[in-house]
Amino acid sequence: MRSFRDAKLMAKSLRETMVARQVPLSHSEALEIVARQFGYDDWNVLAAKIGEAAPDVSAAATDEAVRLQMGIPVLRIFDEAKAKQFYLDFLGFSMDWDHRFGPDMPLYMQVSRSGLQLHLSEHHGDASPGSTVFVWMQGVDAYRAELIGKRYSYSRPGIQEDGPGGRTLEVPDPFGNRIRFCEKRD
């Protein structure tokens, strides 16, 4: 299996098959079943395991015993509809997957755009509201124009010309978090 997307396709296929047989099955339930088929407790564990790179054990490997990968920020959200309106509709991210432990339970989901991944969580212990995520990017003017063109009534972000590291487009979400999109100075 190459990525969690392959497992997601398996879950989608399972769900479609069950629905065709008139067995109701939510997408979250299908993801949990796929995770258990691979021997993991839940979808979050499977998604994390699939994303791990295989360690290089060849003779050419460096002496480093620890190799860190890109982190994924977790941002606290309080309202699923507002989060989707902001992150998907306004910022242009795609939802990769979502998870709930059961009906009426808090949402945990991953959104992404152009290689940037964010985890959004309704779970009270996962993150503090008011967090800031700093993102290096290219094309800050084009991204600002895209956002302004969407006429999102709660945000009309501007570019700070002398931001730390470069020109910075800071966008606050409906939950008090901020994402700083920064383009390096020439």
Side-chain angles (χ1 to χ4, degrees), residues 1 14 50 66 95 97 122 159 172 182 184:
M1 187 171 314
L14 171 64
I50 293 171
V66 176
M95 184 168 67
W97 51 262
E122 289 182 319
I159 295 175
C182 184
K184 292 183 181 180

Side-chain angles (χ1 to χ4, degrees), residues 3-166:
S3 75
F4 71 90
R5 284 183 176 82
D6 295 327
K8 285 190 69 149
L9 289 173
M10 292 173 65
K12 181 179 179 184
S13 176
L14 171 64
R15 182 171 185 238
E16 290 170 354
T17 300
M18 298 308 287
V19 167
R21 294 181 180 173
Q22 298 182 3
V23 177
L25 185 69
S26 73
H27 186 66
S28 290
E29 291 169 326
L31 290 171
E32 295 301 319
I33 291 169
V34 168
R36 285 191 294 276
Q37 288 175 327
F38 281 97
Y40 295 103
D41 291 335
D42 60 47
W43 170 252
N44 288 337
V45 175
L46 174 61
K49 291 292 184 184
I50 293 171
E52 290 178 358
D56 184 1
V57 293
S58 69
T62 66
D63 291 333
E64 291 183 39
V66 176
R67 294 180 187 218
L68 302 177
Q69 296 181 10
M70 182 65 67
I72 301 174
V74 179
L75 297 172
R76 182 80 155 92
I77 61 171
F78 299 100
D79 181 292
E80 179 179 352
K82 284 183 181 178
K84 288 181 176 178
Q85 180 187 29
F86 179 78
Y87 286 96
L88 306 181
D89 300 338
F90 180 55
L91 293 184
F93 282 67
S94 297
M95 184 168 67
D96 298 328
W97 51 262
D98 65 349
H99 175 264
R100 293 179 194 270
F101 285 104
D104 299 320
M105 297 294 288
L107 172 69
Y108 192 95
M109 69 178 175
Q110 177 174 292
V111 297
S112 64
R113 179 174 177 165
S114 301
L116 171 64
Q117 296 175 332
L118 299 173
H119 285 190
L120 308 176
S121 178
E122 289 182 319
H123 294 268
H124 66 84
D126 279 349
S128 296
S131 297
T132 300
V133 177
F134 186 91
V135 179
W136 288 114
M137 71 167 300
Q138 295 176 344
V140 73
D141 290 305
Y143 194 37
R144 179 183 183 272
E146 175 186 323
L147 297 180
I148 296 299
K150 291 184 178 180
R151 300 190 183 281
Y152 180 67
S153 57
Y154 302 107
S155 185
R156 298 272 192 271
I159 295 175
Q160 181 183 358
E161 295 295 332
D162 59 348

